[in-house]
């Protein structure tokens, strides 16, 4: 028996909006730790890993570890039927072939339930090694989204370069080139407006911009984004969900030949 | 030129 009650139901809605265009079908795993997902895009260039810890739920009952295969685009459609302040409860029976979504309005005057059929999905879990990154950049997530959107009008790739000067985002295309430099800035009124750069060594990596742009669909989940970079390794683009969990995107770099 | 690497060449199956 699985029963998960999420008072801030909009979190689940935002998570699905963030991943539905990147991944088609995926298994949601439920265990004592929480509600999680790990999946790759169809080209195996990007990987998404998300977790909503059990503490994020008002009520969390998961009698045994369960993996539920779902089509994410359909799940996003179901979640779009919930109101912005609805409480969302997920329910599944042991050995059942469906997942029920229950939406309760905050004043309990409307209750809706949607049942989705589960799918069998072959998926391989990848082990993500612990890495000491050469550079870690924390910045406002809206600023990062804006930069990626602006650069995608010019080119198809993004070079992210961290030096003592700051973090530089560059692209190049038929019409020309663009460079945007953000410097460390901690003298802000609100901590979420800060840009913090921790650098062990300078690092430059190049990525396909359309993936990074797709990751920024997670912007509504967090005011800050963290980029972790090391030479010749996938970048990690992480949005922390308050004390409740995270969504991390890993993107394989473009490699010079 | 540059080539797109795959995530599976960095992270291995559990």
């Amino acid at each position: 028996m699985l029963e998960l009650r999420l008072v801030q139901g909009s979190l689940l809605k935002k998570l699905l909006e963030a991943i539905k265009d990147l991944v088609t079908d995926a298994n949601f795993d439920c265990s004592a730790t929480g509600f999680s997902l790990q999946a790759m895009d169809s080209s195996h260039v990007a990987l998404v890993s998300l977790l909503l810890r059990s503490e994020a739920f008002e009520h969390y009952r998961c009698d045994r570890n369960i993996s539920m295969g779902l089509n994410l685009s359909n799940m996003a459609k179901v979640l779009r039927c919930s109101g912005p302040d609805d409480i969302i409860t997920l329910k599944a029976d042991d050995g059942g072939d469906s997942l029920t979504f229950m939406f309760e309005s905050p004043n309990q005057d409307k209750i809706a339930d949607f049942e989705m059929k589960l799918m069998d999905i072959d998926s391989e879990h990848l082990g993500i090694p612990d890495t000491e990154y050469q550079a870690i950049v924390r910045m406002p997530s809206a600023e990062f989204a804006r930069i990626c959107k602006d650069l995608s009008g010019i080119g198809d790739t993004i070079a992210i370069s961290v030096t003592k000067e700051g973090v530089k985002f560059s692209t190049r295309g038929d019409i020309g080139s663009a460079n945007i430099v953000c410097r460390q800035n901690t003298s802000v009124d609100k901590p979420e407006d800060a840009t913090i750069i921790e650098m062990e060594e300078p690092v430059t990596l190049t990525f396909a911009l359309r993936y990074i742009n797709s990751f920024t669909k997670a912007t509504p989940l967090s005011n800050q984004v963290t980029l972790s970079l090391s030479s010749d390794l996938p970048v990690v683009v992480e949005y922390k969900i308050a004390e409740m969990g995270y969504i991390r995107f890993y993107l394989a770099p473009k490699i010079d030949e | 030129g540059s080539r797109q690497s795959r995530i599976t060449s960095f992270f291995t199956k559990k």
Side-chain angles (χ1 to χ4, degrees):
Chain A
M1 173 83 182
L2 171 98
E3 198 169 284
L4 317 179
R5 182 175 159 91
L6 185 65
V7 173
Q8 207 182 330
S10 60
L11 280 182
L12 194 59
K13 207 169 168 173
K14 289 174 187 170
L15 279 169
L16 261 291
E17 291 301 320
I19 60 173
K20 69 173 175 56
D21 297 328
L22 188 67
V23 177
T24 312
D25 301 319
N27 285 315
F28 278 92
D29 299 313
C30 204
S31 71
T33 314
F35 188 65
S36 65
L37 170 147
Q38 192 204 76
M40 279 185 282
D41 78 297
S42 59
S43 311
H44 293 189
V45 169
L47 179 140
V48 57
S49 169
L50 70 83
L51 171 68
L52 277 180
R53 292 189 189 93
S54 53
E55 299 81 41
F57 297 84
E58 187 200 53
H59 171 72
Y60 191 91
R61 178 175 172 188
C62 176
D63 295 345
R64 60 185 181 88
N65 291 359
I66 180 173
S67 199
M68 296 177 292
L70 290 160
N71 174 280
L72 299 190
S73 152
N74 291 339
M75 186 174 169
K77 277 184 206 162
V78 167
L79 288 168
R80 268 184 229 140
C81 303
S82 66
D85 301 317
D86 280 4
I87 298 164
I88 297 182
T89 303
L90 307 181
K91 284 184 194 176
D93 289 324
D94 285 338
D97 62 351
S98 67
L99 174 65
T100 298
F101 297 78
M102 195 171 88
F103 306 143
E104 293 168 71
S105 64
N107 60 2
Q108 310 281 314
D109 62 351
K110 183 180 169 189
I111 295 171
D113 65 81
F114 292 76
E115 191 185 287
M116 260 188 88
K117 288 248 166 10
L118 298 178
M119 313 162 67
D120 273 328
I121 297 167
D122 264 341
S123 74
E124 48 200 34
H125 259 256
L126 298 182
I128 301 164
D130 278 333
T131 308
E132 291 285 323
Y133 285 95
Q134 289 169 344
I136 297 174
V137 177
R138 273 171 257 274
M139 64 187 291
S141 58
E143 180 64 33
F144 179 63
R146 171 69 199 261
I147 289 169
C148 296
K149 183 170 168 279
D150 288 350
L151 292 186
S152 63
I154 313 279
D156 299 329
T157 60
I158 180 169
I160 306 177
S161 175
V162 185
T163 62
K164 277 189 291 187
E165 308 304 314
V167 55
K168 183 169 78 170
F169 304 95
S170 313
T171 193
R172 181 174 297 282
D174 293 341
I175 64 164
S177 62
N179 296 292
I180 300 170
V181 178
C182 298
R183 294 207 172 86
Q184 171 147 303
N185 178 11
T186 52
S187 57
V188 289
D189 294 338
K190 289 179 279 178
E192 62 258 39
D193 292 334
T195 297
I196 298 166
I197 298 168
E198 293 167 32
M199 188 196 77
E200 296 293 326
E201 280 176 75
V203 56
T204 299
L205 287 164
T206 304
F207 302 97
L209 192 44
R210 66 186 180 90
Y211 285 98
I212 302 260
N213 243 328
S214 167
F215 303 163
T216 63
K217 288 176 184 160
T219 304
L221 284 162
S222 183
N223 288 324
Q224 285 253 311
V225 62
T226 305
L227 315 175
S228 302
L229 301 130
S230 271
S231 299
D232 301 322
L233 279 184
V235 62
V236 191
V237 180
E238 178 178 17
Y239 297 84
K240 282 199 168 66
I241 308 165
E243 303 300 308
M244 294 186 260
Y246 59 79
I247 181 165
R248 292 178 188 146
F249 299 97
Y250 297 82
L251 180 60
K254 285 182 166 276
I255 291 176
D256 284 337
E257 286 185 311
Chain B
S2 63
R3 73 176 167 82
Q4 176 62 61
S5 59
R6 300 272 173 272
I7 210 86
T8 40
S9 51
F10 301 96
F11 303 154
T12 47
K13 280 184 209 175
K14 264 185 185 167

